[in-house]
Amino acid sequence: MRLDGLLSFPLTPFTADRADVAWPSLADHLERQLAAGPAALFVACGTGELTALSPAEYERVVRTAVAVTAGRVPVLAGVGGGPQVARENLAAARRAGADGALLLPPYLVESTPAGLVEHVRWVAAGGGLPVIVYQRANAVLDPAAAVALLDIDEVAGIKDGRGDVDAMLRIVTAIRHSGHRRAAEFRFLNGLPTAELSAAAYAAIGVAAYSSAVLTFVPDLATAFHAAVTGGDEATTGALLAAFYLPFAELRARAPGYAVALVKAGARLSGQDVGGVRPPLCDPSPEHEQRLAAIVAAGRDTLAEVRRG
């Protein structure tokens, strides 16, 4: 799994009463994501509302993604919660045919960087799947802890969701210059909410691949931005940041949970039958949905203008 490129984090559609996963809508959503040409699908992660899924739903979501994808790109599944629950998630993901897993922060408790390494070891060792460690919230590594992850063969990389570029540079440098046999193959991913805002800064420190929640509802904008930022087209990236990404990020910051709920609202506005979010997340207000529609329209108008030259 090279994971070089734009990474898709699909939504989990629910029925109108939120009592079940809308399975036909999930398959349709996954096909739409694949049509955008991502490097990999990360299902049942944060955007996919991992914490809202029952164990049976979780395994079926992963199994559905594997079946729909049919080997076109790698499928990675979110795993998380406490150490035992995360282990059970990992076992279910393996049964369902996933190619790897994204380990979200441990539930509720805080620890030291060394304690986080032991948590990762407990969950990943012997699980039979490559694991990406998601650094964010209460899961914070330092350079020594990051290098220690190299000794856990199942750990394939780190996804950063903290946004501290200086700290991430120290981690990347420590691993790349550790002399460890796995140092060159280890992967780094930019996993910030609306990662496009930091894509250029992270690429400058050796973290070029990033996750895109925007891909779930406006793949035309997400893929155009990715092509521009990787191709050094500063005019296009600047125009899209100004017209779409910065206003979207400002709206996303209006309420806790909008990193998921606003994205799901965008998917509904694009004609996808994904339903609402499960509690404790809250769907956006009608006013905010209208604002989102206006931001999307402005982004598409700007992209058309840029392409016309």
Side-chain angles (χ1 to χ4, degrees):
M1 293 190 303
R2 294 192 57 83
L3 304 183
D4 295 330
L6 193 59
L7 306 174
S8 166
F9 280 68
L11 304 163
T12 300
F14 295 122
T15 55
D17 60 3
R18 297 172 172 80
D20 195 7
V21 174
W23 300 107
S25 296
L26 174 61
D28 175 70
H29 178 62
L30 292 168
E31 286 286 7
R32 291 181 187 229
Q33 289 297 280
L34 290 166
L41 297 184
F42 285 71
V43 297
C45 294
T47 311
E49 297 181 71
L50 167 64
T51 58
L53 299 175
S54 72
E57 288 174 332
Y58 170 82
E59 186 165 347
R60 187 174 171 186
V61 165
V62 179
R63 197 175 298 278
T64 299
V66 170
V68 170
T69 303
R72 284 177 278 178
V73 297
V75 174
L76 292 89
V79 301
Q84 290 295 86
V85 173
R87 262 186 166 180
E88 291 172 3
N89 285 162
L90 190 61
R94 185 181 181 186
R95 287 194 303 270
D99 299 293
L102 177 68
L103 177 57
L104 278 69
Y107 173 70
L108 192 61
V109 297
E110 296 183 4
S111 185
T112 63
L116 178 60
V117 171
E118 289 311 305
H119 173 74
V120 174
R121 191 187 313 278
W122 179 268
V123 175
L129 288 178
V131 172
I132 305 291
V133 176
Y134 197 179
Q135 173 180 247
R136 63 176 292 178
N138 60 325
V140 180
L141 297 160
D142 59 20
V147 171
L149 292 177
L150 293 168
D151 290 327
I152 307 172
D153 285 343
E154 291 84 356
V155 176
I158 296 168
K159 180 186 180 193
D160 182 57
R162 295 184 66 221
D164 187 332
V165 178
D166 177 76
M168 193 60 187
L169 172 63
R170 294 173 190 273
I171 286 173
V172 173
T173 303
I175 286 179
R176 292 290 188 236
H177 294 273
S178 65
H180 196 282
R181 60 182 172 82
R182 301 180 57 227
E185 70 185 34
F186 205 75
R187 298 292 164 193
F188 298 103
L189 312 177
N190 174 358
L192 288 168
T194 317
E196 286 86 351
L197 300 184
S198 58
Y202 269 69
I205 63 167
V207 186
Y210 64 85
S211 57
S212 177
V214 168
L215 190 70
T216 63
F217 68 100
V218 278
D220 50 336
L221 297 183
T223 54
F225 184 90
H226 182 260
V229 76
T230 55
D233 182 354
E234 295 182 3
T236 298
T237 57
L240 289 175
L241 284 170
F244 173 76
Y245 283 101
L246 288 170
F248 173 73
E250 188 277 331
L251 182 60
R252 187 201 66 214
R254 296 285 186 91
Y258 265 18
V260 178
L262 196 66
V263 170
K264 215 165 194 182
R268 291 194 300 273
L269 288 172
S270 73
Q272 299 183 66
D273 185 17
V274 295
V277 291
R278 276 180 173 168
L281 298 179
C282 299
D283 290 319
S285 67
E287 176 188 354
H288 286 171
E289 286 202 17
Q290 291 170 8
R291 174 62 181 146
L292 177 59
I295 291 169
V296 169
R300 284 181 166 148
D301 287 345
T302 297
L303 180 59
E305 290 174 9
V306 167
R307 285 175 170 169
R308 283 196 298 267

